[in-house]
Amino acid sequence: MAITYREIAIQEMLRTVEEAMSQAINWWGDLPPPMKEAIEQFRTQLGAAIDSVEFVKKALDRRVPEPTEKATEQR
């Protein structure tokens, strides 16, 4: 299965969050279950945020139709 840039971005952001949490509790082992649950929730929210931005980007990248002569005459 091919990996997407979206998946790479999510993995990198989650790695950063996991490292920050480990530093915050000064623990380099496996994170406690509540923190793992928070990371999974963040993964879901991050994916949704990326998808919404991608949707907006696609919408903004669409070409605006040329105005018709009738629409121009009404101005």
Side-chain angles (χ1 to χ4, degrees), residues 22-35:
S22 292
Q23 289 176 10
I25 63 172
N26 199 22
W27 176 256
W28 296 103
D30 207 16
L31 291 173
M35 287 186 159

Side-chain angles (χ1 to χ4, degrees), residues 36-59:
K36 286 183 180 181
E37 290 170 15
I39 289 172
E40 284 306 310
Q41 183 179 10
F42 178 67
R43 176 192 307 270
T44 303
Q45 293 171 346
L46 183 58
I50 289 171
D51 292 344
S52 68
V53 170
E54 184 176 326
F55 173 78
V56 170
K57 182 182 178 302
K58 285 180 184 177

